[in-house]
Amino acid sequence: WNVNRKTADRICNFNRHYSEQSGYLTRCPEFLEACKQAEKTNSTITFYDSNTGKPLFEAPKNRTMQEFLAESKQHGWPSFRDAEVNRKEVRCLRGGEVVSLAGTH
């Protein structure tokens, strides 16, 4: 989605608190276009671990793309529900931190 790799590296590998800067996803036109295309074809988008390439989340599930985007925009970053989490690759730590099994935030 043509994101800034340095920013992505900081978010995913050098960050134990919070996530990307609030609203970052709305400044990524390629991501918004992918959402638009997925909505047109009634499909989902898979979100991968930036280090291992393994699928971590698939959204939207049990809601519309517009609901996924509205909730994500409200939170300031992609917001996933339980049905959208790949439990084989993702864990929620005490305090609510979500990480992949490889440790990617």
Side-chain angles (χ1 to χ4, degrees):
W1 295 317
N2 200 29
V3 297
N4 181 292
R5 291 201 180 271
K6 187 175 179 179
T7 300
D9 189 43
R10 179 185 51 76
I11 293 166
C12 297
N13 298 308
F14 299 99
N15 177 30
R16 295 303 305 247
H17 303 286
Y18 309 109
S19 190
E20 64 264 22
Q21 185 180 17
S22 182
Y24 185 69
L25 72 98
T26 62
R27 295 188 302 274
C28 183
E30 292 86 353
F31 170 71
L32 297 174
E33 181 60 30
C35 291
K36 186 177 177 181
Q37 292 304 315
E39 183 175 37
K40 282 183 182 178
T41 60
N42 198 31
S43 59
T44 59
I45 294 178
T46 302
F47 296 78
Y48 297 92
D49 185 308
S50 61
N51 293 306
T52 67
K54 293 182 178 181
L56 303 180
F57 307 97
E58 185 180 353
K61 288 187 175 179
N62 302 325
R63 60 180 169 165
T64 67
M65 181 61 76
Q66 288 305 309
E67 291 169 329
F68 166 70
L69 286 172
E71 187 173 303
S72 295
K73 288 175 183 177
Q74 181 181 9
H75 290 154
W77 43 77
S79 180
F80 302 104
R81 294 185 179 174
D82 288 345
E84 298 165 334
V85 178
N86 179 354
R87 300 259 181 238
K88 293 179 183 177
E89 297 294 334
V90 176
R91 297 295 183 265
C92 186
L93 306 179
R94 288 185 189 163
E97 181 181 5
V98 177
V99 296
S100 73
L101 291 183
T104 308
H105 177 90

